[in-house]
Amino acid sequence: MNATTASRQRTATDLRSERPQPRAPRRFASTGGDRYVTTGRTGTGTAQVALRCRVVQQTRLDTARIRAARRVIDPMFLDTPLYRCEALEPGLGCAVSIKLETANPVRSFKARGTELVASVLADNGERAVVCASAGNLGQALAWSGRGRGLDVTVVASRFATAAKLDRIRALGAALELVDGDHESARERAAAVARSEGIRLVEDSLDIETCEGAATIGLELVDTTRPFDVVLIALGGGALATGVGHVLKDLAPGVEVICVQPLGAPALTLSWRARRIVTTDSADTIADGVAGRFPIPAVLDDLLLVTDDAVLVREESIITGMRLLFDHAGLVVEPSAALGIAAILEDRDRFAGRHVVTVVCGGNVDADAYRRWIGVAPL
């Protein structure tokens, strides 16, 4: 083992060992009324204690607006499949349900948010918009903008997944590539917005991206089957804050756990420290969640609506992708397998519980997929 490898392994071990004990599930209502604080697990026979008090902490999100968002989002992105996947369960040791967000024209949940953004822009008579994207947000904004006559520019790293970049072009957006990673793309997109005087869509900071994603939470709450835990991929934070907000507002007993790659831990480290922690680099195959500079407002929300944030290894992500292919027939990108990876790395925590994992994206390069799991995706 060379010195560099040893250093990386020590770093990985340190990051994983720093994980605090999971906090008991809590509820923080978003607007007015009462707050219920719930402790303990939600499984059968588990005692719960509810404390009633006035709301003193709020997120940026609003449940009434989230409900209203369903009337704006194209129905093809709503009411996505939620089903028990029994074939996965023997190898994982728990009941597993999949919330599938890939069976739509952009193969991810992102259009739930971009539908809201594009609708607001069109209603206000604006004609152009720009965003930075690792691939999925760009596709979604291109799709939503095209249907409303918007000129969409997407800025991305030239090292982004080729299949995602090709699809952005195919959907009619102007694509500008930059050297560096996603953070470089964010800087360039902001510069374009300033110079051209157009709207910059910043994933997770713009409330529409969070409240669009939050409609997934409404669909989870409306299910007739009870569940104990939701596992959510953590990148910029829109999905986690959105779904977490709804669950803590309407289903406070459900444990909300964020999952991030060990090679891109910035927001998880920030959650644990309760302050912004940045990293110099990101090294993960899960490109959709590989940010390095968390957004303060997003962290504030995340601290209110999530119970834990965990880091998983690359090999667990790949195994999760393979399990989803072999036992669920799903071709997913690495970010979508983070929930399965979390179960694999902590089976005792989830044993005997009903876990929902949000399969958030299916945009993956065919050659890379073949290398990772040994089969072609098509």
Side-chain angles (χ1 to χ4, degrees):
M1 180 185 303
N2 60 39
T4 300
T5 301
S7 175
R8 287 176 179 169
Q9 290 185 352
R10 284 195 298 272
T11 301
T13 301
D14 291 344
L15 288 176
R16 290 172 59 78
S17 65
E18 288 172 3
R19 191 182 82 189
Q21 290 297 314
R23 297 180 298 180
R26 303 165 298 166
R27 177 187 182 185
F28 294 92
S30 58
T31 54
D34 299 312
R35 180 177 69 186
Y36 299 86
V37 181
T38 307
T39 62
R41 290 185 176 179
T42 61
T44 303
T46 302
Q48 295 184 354
V49 179
L51 173 65
R52 184 169 181 145
C53 59
R54 296 301 299 172
V55 174
V56 294
Q57 300 185 40
Q58 297 181 358
T59 72
R60 296 174 299 144
L61 286 71
D62 180 83
T63 303
R65 285 201 309 261
I66 294 164
R67 292 189 185 281
R70 285 182 54 87
R71 299 193 293 270
V72 177
I73 299 168
D74 191 303
M76 74 173 64
F77 300 109
L78 297 172
D79 300 314
T80 52
L82 172 65
Y83 58 94
R84 180 91 173 262
C85 188
E86 295 184 11
L88 281 169
E89 296 175 358
L92 297 177
C94 60
V96 179
S97 287
I98 288 171
K99 181 61 171 169
L100 186 64
E101 292 296 311
T102 63
N104 61 61
V106 297
R107 298 185 186 178
S108 80
F109 74 95
K110 295 287 189 179
R112 291 177 183 255
T114 59
E115 283 288 276
L116 300 183
V117 171
S119 177
V120 169
L121 291 172
D123 289 346
N124 291 339
E126 299 185 53
R127 308 312 307 166
V129 61
V130 61
C131 75
S133 176
N136 288 348
L137 178 70
Q139 290 182 67
L141 188 59
W143 193 94
S144 297
R146 184 179 66 176
R148 294 170 174 84
L150 299 174
D151 293 328
V152 177
T153 299
V154 178
V155 183
S157 167
R158 66 178 66 258
F159 306 109
T161 300
K164 295 181 179 182
L165 300 181
D166 290 343
R167 187 60 182 156
I168 290 170
R169 295 186 185 97
L171 287 167
L175 180 63
E176 180 177 337
L177 301 179
V178 299
D179 293 322
D181 63 6
H182 179 63
E183 302 302 344
S184 299
R186 286 176 63 186
E187 293 177 2
R188 175 57 185 161
V192 170
R194 288 192 299 269
S195 65
E196 299 187 11
I198 61 176
R199 166 75 181 269
L200 169 67
V201 176
E202 188 157 5
D203 199 12
S204 305
L205 178 60
D206 288 9
I207 199 66
E208 300 98 330
T209 63
C210 301
E211 292 186 339
T215 58
I216 297 172
L218 292 179
E219 293 165 20
L220 292 176
V221 169
D222 286 344
T223 183
T224 58
R225 296 181 179 179
F227 53 93
D228 302 300
V229 186
V230 173
L231 297 173
I232 306 172
L234 183 60
L239 182 60
T241 57
V243 174
H245 170 92
V246 171
L247 291 177
K248 293 308 173 190
D249 195 21
L250 304 178
V254 175
E255 187 176 14
V256 179
I257 302 175
C258 303
V259 190
Q260 198 164 36
L262 190 60
L267 192 46
T268 293
L269 297 181
S270 300
W271 186 91
R272 294 176 183 178
R274 304 183 71 83
R275 61 177 177 79
I276 292 297
V277 177
T278 63
T279 58
D280 293 332
S281 63
D283 184 13
T284 177
I285 63 172
D287 60 305
V289 294
R292 296 189 289 114
F293 301 133
I295 300 169
V298 177
L299 175 61
D300 290 344
D301 290 340
L302 202 65
L303 287 167
L304 293 176
V305 301
T306 57
D307 300 298
D308 201 5
V310 302
L311 298 170
V312 295
R313 299 184 299 265
E314 297 294 289
E315 52 265 37
S316 298
I317 299 172
I318 292 171
T319 300
M321 295 173 67
R322 184 178 297 113
L323 288 172
L324 286 167
F325 180 83
D326 289 343
H327 300 294
L330 297 176
V331 174
V332 304
E333 61 187 86
S335 301
L338 289 171
I340 300 299
I343 301 172
L344 288 169
E345 293 199 7
D346 200 353
R347 295 171 191 265
D348 290 345
R349 177 176 188 172
F350 301 104
R353 306 175 77 188
H354 186 178
V355 180
V356 173
T357 183
V358 181
V359 175
C360 55
N363 291 298
V364 63
D365 179 78
D367 291 336
Y369 189 87
R370 187 181 297 107
R371 289 196 308 272
W372 293 330
I373 77 164
V375 298
L378 301 177

